[in-house]
Amino acid sequence: MTMKNVNKYAPQFFAPEGVTMDWMKKTQIDKPPYWCSVDLRDGNQALIVPMSLEEKLEFFKLLVKVGFKEIEVGFPAASETEYEFCRTIIEQNLIPDDVTIQVLTQSREHIIAKTFEAIKGAKHAVVHLYNSTSVAQREQVFRRSKDEITEIAKFGAELCKKYREQARANGDGEITFEYSPESFTGTEPEYAAEICNEVIKIWEPTAEDKVIINLPVTVSHSMPHVYANQVEYMCKNLLHRENLIISLHPHNDRGCAVADSEMGLLAGGDRIEGTLFGNGERTGNVDIVTLALNMYSQGVDPGLDFSNLPEITKVYEKVTRMHVYERQPYSGQLVFAAFSGSHQDAIAKGMKHRVEKDAKIWNVPYLPIDPADIGRVYEADVIRINSQSGKGGIGYILETQYSHVLPPKMREAFGYHVKSISDHEHRELQPSEVYDIFMRDFVNLTTNIEVKKAVYEDVGEDIRANCNIVLAGKEIELTKMGNGRLDAVSNAIHSLTGLDYVLESYTQHALEGKSSSKAASYVSIKYNDEIYWGTGISHDIIKASVRALVSAVNRLMDAHK
Ligand code: KIV
Ligand code: ZN
C-alpha cells in the first residue's frame, strides 16, 4: 500500500439509473450557454481578504464590459458590504438595462426579507434560493430527514413567491427565481429531482417566467461523465422542463470543473455559473475564460469579449489580490510560450505557411488559438529564448522583429551561439538581447581586421581591388585581382593574413524593403572543416558584402587566437 490511509475513502457520488447518455454522441457545443458570473459572491467569499465596496464596483464594471448579462452580486443578507454594494449599484444606476443582477439567499424568513429589500429598485433581478440536500449535510450538519429538508426548500420557495407578489404589487422590477439543491452531487438523484420538483410546483414556471434550477457541483466527487449523467437525469425527471433553465455550477476539487461544465452542457445544461480564472471556494469555481475560449477555438462565438485578456487579468489580480497561475489555460503568462526548439520551429513555419497560403482557418502547430485574438503579443508571449530554444525561434525573432532573414545554415550557427549564452547565464533572453548578441558577435566586426577603403576597377572579365586594410592596428594598402569585387577583396585578405579559407556562400537582402534602405549581407567562409559566418550592413550593397566577409574572417581569427 503506497498511501496508508486509502481505506479511509470510498466513492461519494450517486450514478443515476435510467440515463441513456445520448449526450455522449455529441462532440460539439454549438451555441454558448447563458453565462452567470459568480465572482462577486462565490469568488469573493473565497478570498483571503474579501473585496471592498470600491473593488467590487471595479470588478462589476469589468464583468459588464466583458459582456456578462447575469451577475451574482452577493449574499446581501450575509454581510453589510454585500448589502451596501447591492444598494449602490441600484441607486447609482450602474446596472445596464440588459444586465440582470442575482442575489443569493438561504431559506430563512429574515434573510429572504433582507434579500428582497436589497434588490428594491432593480429593473431585473434573480433571487437565488438554496439549501443543502446531500446525504452528508442532511445527516451530519442539519440532522434532518429528507422530508424535513424538503420542507426547508418549500418554506423558502413560498416566502420568495410571497415577497415577489408584494414587489409586483409595488410596481418593482422583474424577479426571476433560481433554486439550488446545494451539494447536489452528493445527493441521491431521485431525491434531488423530488426536492426540485416541490419547489417548481410552488413557483409554477411558464414560458414567460422561467425558473432556473441550478445543479451545483458544490464538491466534486466523480468523473465528469457521471455529473453529465446526473444532469441528464434531472432534465428528464424535472417537471415543466420546457420552462426551466438548467444551470450548472461546477467547483473544481478534482480539476474537472471545465470538463463537468462541457459535458453537462452536452447533457442538457443551458446556463453556467462560474468565475473569471476559476476563483472560488477551495480549488475554485469553473473558469469561464477557459470555457468560453474553448468554444471560441472551435469556431463558436462565446458571447463574451476576452479580446483584451491581459487587461482583464490585471484588474482581476488587483481587486482580488489573487494571482493567475502561469499555466492557467489561455490567461497564464506562459501558456503560449514556446521555449523548445522544435516547437519554435513548427510555430515559425506555421506562421509563415499561414501568410503564404492566406489561410482562413487557424491551425498553427502548438497554438490552439491565435494569441493575438485575446490581446497577447507574439514578440513577448510566443517565441521565448532560453537554452532549450532552437534555430527556428531565434531566426524567427530576427526575421519578424528585426527584418534579418538569415540563411538556414547561419540560423543554425547563430541559434547554437545564442543557446549557449542563455545556458551559461542560466536565464531567458529577451528578443532585444538576441538582436544585441547578433549585432555584437556577427555584424560589421572589426576586432582583428578591417577594410577601410576599397576602390574597384574592371579589368576585362575580372576586377581589380585597391584596398586599405587595417590589421593588428596597422593600415596597409594593397591591390588584388578577383573574379568579382568580393573575391578581389578576399584575395587581399588572404595575402595579408595568410589564412587559407574558402568563400562558401553569400546572400543578401534589403533590410526595410525600400530602395533607400540598408542592405544586409551574409557570408560564410570555410577554414579546414570549420564554417564561420559574418553579416555586413551598409547603404551600399558592395560595402555590405565586404563587411560580411570581414566579419566572418574576424570570427575565424577570434577562434584561432
Ligand atoms: O457551490 C455551491 O453549491 C453554491 C451554492 C450556493 C449554489 O455556491
Ligand atoms: Zn459555489
Side-chain angles (χ1 to χ4, degrees):
M1 198 182 288
T2 46
M3 296 282 286
K4 70 178 166 50
N5 290 331
V6 67
N7 293 334
K8 207 156 110 185
Y9 299 94
Q12 299 289 319
F13 61 85
F14 297 92
E17 288 181 7
V19 288
T20 55
M21 292 176 78
D22 291 340
W23 60 268
M24 251 198 165
K25 295 185 197 114
K26 298 185 198 162
T27 52
Q28 269 275 39
I29 295 166
D30 46 23
K31 67 174 188 338
Y34 301 112
W35 299 108
C36 175
S37 151
V38 294
D39 291 87
L40 300 174
R41 196 278 299 169
D42 217 337
N44 189 42
Q45 222 166 279
L47 295 176
I48 299 168
V49 181
M51 286 178 268
S52 66
L53 191 119
E54 289 70 31
E55 286 163 343
K56 279 189 98 178
L57 274 176
E58 189 171 352
F59 205 161
F60 178 75
K61 287 177 188 162
L62 177 73
L63 294 168
V64 168
K65 199 165 155 206
V66 165
F68 283 97
K69 301 299 172 205
E70 293 176 45
I71 302 173
E72 191 165 79
V73 294
F75 190 164
S79 101
E80 224 13 72
T81 317
E82 308 248 314
Y83 185 86
E84 268 305 297
F85 175 71
C86 196
R87 294 311 310 153
T88 305
I89 54 172
I90 295 169
E91 284 163 19
Q92 294 187 9
N93 247 323
L94 297 174
I95 310 168
D97 284 347
D98 62 347
V99 171
T100 300
I101 57 163
Q102 177 167 312
V103 281
L104 185 71
T105 179
Q106 288 172 343
S107 186
R108 293 159 74 185
E109 168 119 46
H110 68 287
I111 291 181
I112 292 175
K114 181 114 186 185
T115 305
F116 276 82
E117 211 179 289
I119 57 169
K120 250 191 205 131
K123 290 195 184 81
H124 189 189
V126 173
V127 171
H128 179 184
L129 171 74
Y130 80 95
N131 69 315
S132 300
T133 57
S134 67
V135 178
Q137 296 264 15
R138 291 194 319 255
E139 288 178 0
Q140 300 166 39
V141 185
F142 295 95
R143 294 170 185 245
R144 303 269 173 99
S145 67
K146 282 183 190 162
D147 285 351
E148 286 167 323
I149 293 288
T150 305
E151 280 313 309
I152 296 174
K154 285 168 70 179
F155 174 77
E158 291 284 7
L159 271 179
C160 287
K161 192 172 165 180
K162 184 182 103 187
Y163 278 99
R164 180 166 78 172
E165 274 158 18
Q166 279 170 12
R168 279 182 177 158
N170 294 338
D172 263 356
E174 294 247 326
I175 293 168
T176 299
F177 288 145
E178 170 171 345
Y179 174 67
S180 290
E182 200 249 19
S183 50
F184 164 74
T185 44
T187 307
E188 308 87 325
E190 310 72 37
Y191 178 58
E194 182 186 316
I195 193 167
C196 288
N197 280 334
E198 289 304 317
V199 171
I200 290 166
K201 279 186 216 157
I202 295 167
W203 284 347
E204 300 176 300
T206 63
E208 293 73 40
D209 179 24
K210 292 195 174 177
V211 159
I212 302 167
I213 295 292
N214 189 40
L215 305 176
V217 183
T218 306
V219 180
S220 164
H221 296 295
S222 71
M223 286 186 271
H225 71 291
V226 176
Y227 177 61
N229 286 350
Q230 291 166 345
V231 172
E232 182 188 318
Y233 178 88
M234 293 299 277
C235 288
K236 287 186 172 153
N237 288 281
L238 290 179
L239 301 172
H240 304 295
R241 169 65 185 98
E242 70 288 2
N243 295 332
L244 300 177
I245 292 170
I246 300 299
S247 177
L248 314 176
H249 178 115
H251 280 264
N252 198 33
D253 303 83
R254 292 170 59 100
C256 292
V258 168
D260 282 347
S261 305
E262 291 183 334
M263 292 193 187
L265 288 175
L266 294 180
D270 306 302
R271 181 179 188 262
I272 293 287
E273 291 189 354
T275 58
L276 297 186
F277 313 112
N279 179 42
E281 298 283 7
R282 305 179 313 280
T283 55
N285 288 67
V286 66
D287 173 12
I288 286 188
V289 176
T290 301
L291 262 183
L293 292 175
N294 280 356
M295 286 176 205
Y296 180 70
S297 74
Q298 309 284 300
V300 176
D301 182 352
L304 296 173
D305 182 1
F306 292 118
S307 57
N308 194 351
L309 198 49
E311 187 54 35
I312 295 168
T313 311
K314 211 161 106 192
V315 176
Y316 163 82
E317 288 188 333
K318 185 179 86 176
V319 297
T320 61
R321 290 162 279 273
M322 296 291 287
H323 170 69
V324 174
Y325 173 45
E326 283 72 4
R327 303 276 177 212
Q328 177 91 6
Y330 302 105
S331 44
Q333 251 317 304
L334 295 178
V335 296
F336 295 108
F339 288 104
S340 96
S342 61
H343 288 209
Q344 291 179 343
D345 194 46
I347 291 172
K349 285 179 178 149
M351 298 291 280
K352 211 169 193 162
H353 179 269
R354 211 179 141 63
V355 174
E356 280 165 12
K357 301 283 174 202
D358 192 20
K360 299 285 176 278
I361 298 294
W362 179 266
N363 70 343
V364 174
Y366 298 113
L367 296 177
I369 63 167
D370 183 348
D373 288 352
I374 55 170
R376 304 295 293 262
V377 186
Y378 291 110
E379 290 73 18
D381 288 327
V382 181
I383 305 287
R384 307 267 299 251
I385 305 302
N386 66 11
S387 57
Q388 303 295 311
S389 307
K391 57 184 190 306
I394 292 166
Y396 181 77
I397 283 181
L398 279 189
E399 183 169 341
T400 54
Q401 297 187 44
Y402 300 100
S403 16
H404 274 282
V405 188
L406 271 52
K409 290 277 178 207
M410 185 178 188
R411 274 188 179 213
E412 200 173 317
F414 181 59
Y416 280 119
H417 186 72
V418 171
K419 267 163 74 111
S420 77
I421 291 175
S422 170
D423 203 11
H424 275 101
E425 297 188 13
H426 215 70
R427 68 180 182 91
E428 182 188 1
L429 297 172
Q430 297 306 311
S432 63
E433 293 179 290
V434 171
Y435 179 66
D436 290 347
I437 292 169
F438 178 62
M439 295 302 285
R440 183 191 70 198
D441 297 347
F442 285 84
V443 181
N444 292 354
L445 302 183
T446 58
T447 33
N448 307 292
I449 185 166
E450 180 182 4
V451 174
K452 277 276 189 199
K453 201 172 120 198
V455 179
Y456 307 98
E457 198 187 329
D458 289 350
V459 182
E461 292 286 292
D462 291 330
I463 297 287
R464 177 187 292 129
N466 180 256
C467 309
N468 283 46
I469 297 178
V470 178
L471 182 66
K474 245 174 71 188
E475 186 162 335
I476 302 145
E477 186 177 344
L478 79 167
T479 301
K480 285 285 165 190
M481 294 295 289
N483 56 20
R485 289 170 169 81
L486 195 59
D487 189 47
V489 174
S490 184
N491 288 337
I493 294 173
H494 273 303
S495 79
L496 261 187
T497 59
L499 290 169
D500 193 17
Y501 64 81
V502 180
L503 201 55
E504 270 259 309
S505 73
Y506 162 72
T507 54
Q508 65 170 54
H509 63 76
L511 262 182
E512 281 127 13
K514 295 185 214 133
S515 56
S516 61
S517 74
K518 292 182 177 174
S521 296
Y522 309 93
V523 163
S524 66
I525 56 175
K526 190 169 181 183
Y527 180 74
N528 300 329
D529 279 339
E530 302 154 13
I531 302 287
Y532 295 92
W533 284 93
T535 297
I537 299 176
S538 171
H539 286 290
D540 178 276
I541 291 175
I542 305 301
K543 276 191 184 149
S545 59
V546 168
R547 286 177 181 177
L549 168 68
V550 172
S551 296
V553 174
N554 270 297
R555 288 184 58 77
L556 186 166
M557 292 171 87
D558 279 343
H560 288 271
K561 262 184 181 162

